[in-house]
C-alpha cells in the first residue's frame, strides 16, 4: 500500500545502492533516482549521502525509514486483525467433553459465544475421560473440556480451574441446614455417575477412608438423568461439580453443598488442546471467552 516514492526509498535504504535496488525492483536506475529526488524535494532535506560505493541514509533518512517501517508493521497487524475477524465469521470449532459438561456448561458457553459471533459453528462430541483425552492427543478435536485428578499427558493444558465434588440437593433438603459427612448420605436416595468417572472415584475413595458404605439407588452414565432424578425425587442427592450445573442449578433453585474433606478438592476442570497445533482465530476467541466466563463463575456459591 506504499506509493512508488516510498517503495523505491525503502529498496535503496535496504540495499545501499541504486543499482542493487534496480535489480530487486526490475526498474531502471534512472527511474528510481528520479523518485528519490522527488521525495527529497518534497521533504526539503536530503535522505541519502551519495558515495562512490553506494548510498547511506542521512539522519532525516533514518527517521523516515523507521517511521515507514513502523507504519508498514502497523498495517500488517491491522490486516491480520481484519482477516481474523473474517475467519471468526466463518469457522468451525471442534470440541470434545465428558458427559458432565455436556449438560449445562457447554450449551451455555456455545450459546453465549454465538450471540457475539453468529457465524461460528461448533461440533461437539461427548465421550468418556479416556476417549476425550485420546481425541485431544490425536488432534480429533480443537479443544477438550475434561475433569481431571492429575495433569493430562501429551496435550497442552490451556487453563484449569478447581472443580471440587459437591452434593446436589433440592432446596428443602434436610442436609442444606447442617454440616454434611459422607455417612449422612446413607439415609437418602443417592444418584451417582457410573464407575470410572472422577466423581465416583472421589466418592469411593472417601468412603474407604471413612469406613462408610454407600449404595446408590441410581447409577448412570448420563448426567442429565442424574440431575432430573435428583430434581424430581424427594430428598434425593447427587454429586457433581458446580461447573456441571453452572446456570441450570440456579434456574431450578437447586442447592450445592460441600462435604468436609480435602480429598474432594483435588479435581480440576481442564481446557486441553492438541500439542503444537495452530489455533484458528475463532478458537482463540472462544478460549478467551471461556476463560472470562469461568473466571467469573470460578468458585461455587
Amino acid at each position: 500500500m506504499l506509493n512508488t516514492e516510498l517503495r523505491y526509498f525503502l529498496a535503496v535504504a535496504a540495499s545501499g545502492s541504486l543499482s542493487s535496488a534496480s535489480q530487486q525492483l526490475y526498474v531502471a536506475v534512472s527511474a528510481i533516482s528520479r523518485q528519490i529526488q522527488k521525495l527529497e524535494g518534497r521533504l526539503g532535506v536530503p535522505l541519502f549521502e551519495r558515495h562512490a560505493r553506494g548510498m547511506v541514509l542521512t539522519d532525516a533518512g533514518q527517521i523516515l525509514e523507521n517511521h515507514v517501517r513502523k507504519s508498514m508493521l502497523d498495517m500488517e497487524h491491522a490486516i491480520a486483525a481484519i482477516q481474523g475477524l473474517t475467519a471468526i465469521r466463518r469457522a468451525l470449532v471442534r470440541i470434545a467433553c465428558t458427559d458432565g459438561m455436556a449438560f449445562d456448561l457447554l450449551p451455555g458457553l456455545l450459546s453465549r459465544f454465538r450471540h457475539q459471533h453468529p457465524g461460528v459453528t461448533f461440533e461437539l462430541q461427548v465421550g468418556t475421560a479416556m476417549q476425550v483425552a485420546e481425541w485431544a492427543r490425536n488432534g480429533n478435536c480443537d479443544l477438550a473440556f475434561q475433569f481431571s485428578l492429575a495433569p493430562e499427558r501429551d496435550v497442552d493444558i490451556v487453563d484449569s480451574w478447581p472443580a471440587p465434588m459437591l452434593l446436589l440437593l433440592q432446596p428443602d433438603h434436610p442436609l442444606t441446614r447442617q454440616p454434611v459427612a459422607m455417612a449422612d448420605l446413607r439415609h437418602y436416595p443417592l444418584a451417582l455417575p457410573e464407575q470410572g468417572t472422577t466423581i465416583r472415584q472421589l466418592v469411593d475413595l472417601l468412603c474407604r477412608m471413612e469406613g462408610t458404605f454407600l449404595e446408590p439407588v441410581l447409577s448412570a452414565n448420563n448426567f442429565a438423568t442424574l440431575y432430573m432424578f435428583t430434581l424430581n425425587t424427594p430428598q434425593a442427592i447427587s454429586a457433581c461439580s458446580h461447573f456441571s450445573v453452572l446456570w441450570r442449578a440456579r434456574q431450578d433453585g437447586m442447592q450445592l453443598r460441600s462435604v468436609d474433606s480435602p480429598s474432594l478438592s483435588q479435581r480440576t476442570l481442564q481446557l486441553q488442546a492438541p500439542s503444537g497445533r495452530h489455533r484458528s482465530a475463532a478458537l482463540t476467541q472462544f478460549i478467551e471467552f471461556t476463560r472470562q466466563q469461568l473466571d467469573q463463575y470460578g468458585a461455587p456459591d
Side-chain angles (χ1 to χ4, degrees), residues 81-95:
I82 292 170
Q83 291 174 337
L85 289 175
T86 303
I88 289 174
R89 293 192 187 105
R90 295 174 296 178
L92 169 67
V93 177
R94 302 172 305 156
I95 297 176

Side-chain angles (χ1 to χ4, degrees), residues 37-174:
Q37 291 173 4
K38 182 179 178 181
L39 182 59
E40 289 178 326
R42 182 185 305 171
L43 295 176
V45 293
L47 299 174
F48 293 96
E49 295 177 358
R50 277 76 170 172
H51 300 284
R53 294 184 177 179
M55 300 177 68
V56 179
L57 286 170
T58 62
D59 289 343
Q62 290 177 349
I63 292 173
L64 179 61
E65 183 192 31
N66 291 338
H67 175 77
V68 172
R69 293 200 184 281
K70 181 179 182 301
S71 297
M72 291 174 61
L73 184 60
D74 290 342
M75 180 62 70
E76 290 176 1
H77 289 164
I79 292 172
I82 292 170
Q83 291 174 337
L85 289 175
T86 303
I88 289 174
R89 293 192 187 105
R90 295 174 296 178
L92 169 67
V93 177
R94 302 172 305 156
I95 297 176
C97 72
T98 47
D99 180 69
M101 281 166 283
F103 173 69
D104 185 42
L105 178 62
L106 261 302
L109 288 175
L110 302 186
S111 175
R112 290 171 181 227
F113 183 79
R114 288 198 77 257
H115 183 72
Q116 299 178 14
H117 305 286
V120 177
T121 58
F122 290 93
E123 179 182 283
L124 177 65
Q125 50 185 348
V126 182
T128 66
M130 292 182 61
Q131 287 175 323
V132 171
E134 189 68 17
W135 292 335
R137 282 195 293 268
N138 294 339
N140 294 330
C141 65
D142 301 314
L143 190 66
F145 287 68
Q146 180 162 215
F147 292 121
S148 181
L149 296 174
E152 193 62 50
R153 62 179 179 84
D154 300 328
V155 295
D156 292 337
I157 307 301
V158 178
D159 215 330
S160 65
W161 294 265
M165 189 197 89
L166 300 173
L167 301 178
L168 180 69
L169 310 167
Q170 294 180 2
D172 58 351
H173 197 287

Side-chain angles (χ1 to χ4, degrees), residues 99-298:
D99 180 69
M101 281 166 283
F103 173 69
D104 185 42
L105 178 62
L106 261 302
L109 288 175
L110 302 186
S111 175
R112 290 171 181 227
F113 183 79
R114 288 198 77 257
H115 183 72
Q116 299 178 14
H117 305 286
V120 177
T121 58
F122 290 93
E123 179 182 283
L124 177 65
Q125 50 185 348
V126 182
T128 66
M130 292 182 61
Q131 287 175 323
V132 171
E134 189 68 17
W135 292 335
R137 282 195 293 268
N138 294 339
N140 294 330
C141 65
D142 301 314
L143 190 66
F145 287 68
Q146 180 162 215
F147 292 121
S148 181
L149 296 174
E152 193 62 50
R153 62 179 179 84
D154 300 328
V155 295
D156 292 337
I157 307 301
V158 178
D159 215 330
S160 65
W161 294 265
M165 189 197 89
L166 300 173
L167 301 178
L168 180 69
L169 310 167
Q170 294 180 2
D172 58 351
H173 197 287
L175 292 185
T176 61
R177 298 186 292 273
Q178 64 186 61
V180 181
M182 291 300 289
D184 297 329
L185 307 187
R186 292 178 298 179
H187 309 297
Y188 304 99
L190 183 61
L192 291 177
E194 64 180 349
Q195 297 284 346
T197 60
T198 55
I199 285 284
R200 194 62 177 267
Q201 291 172 11
L202 288 172
V203 170
D204 293 345
L205 172 63
L206 191 55
C207 285
R208 287 195 299 269
M209 292 172 58
E210 297 186 0
T212 300
F213 176 75
L214 294 177
E215 184 174 5
V217 300
L218 173 63
S219 179
N221 65 355
N222 180 266
F223 181 73
T225 300
L226 298 172
Y227 182 88
M228 296 307 296
F229 177 85
T230 308
L231 178 67
N232 293 291
T233 304
Q235 298 190 350
I237 301 173
S238 189
C240 64
S241 162
H242 63 290
F243 288 119
S244 296
V245 291
L246 196 58
W247 296 287
R248 182 62 183 270
R250 188 177 293 108
Q251 294 171 1
D252 293 335
M254 298 293 281
Q255 301 292 309
L256 291 169
R257 292 297 306 274
S258 62
V259 177
D260 186 18
S261 172
S263 302
L264 300 182
S265 62
Q266 56 187 284
R267 197 174 69 142
T268 61
L269 167 58
Q270 294 182 359
L271 288 191
Q272 304 168 356
S275 295
R277 293 284 294 273
H278 170 73
R279 295 174 190 166
S280 67
L283 176 59
T284 300
Q285 287 281 353
F286 181 69
I287 289 173
E288 183 57 33
F289 174 82
T290 299
R291 283 196 179 108
Q292 294 172 359
Q293 291 289 302
L294 297 193
D295 285 344
Q296 180 178 355
Y297 298 99

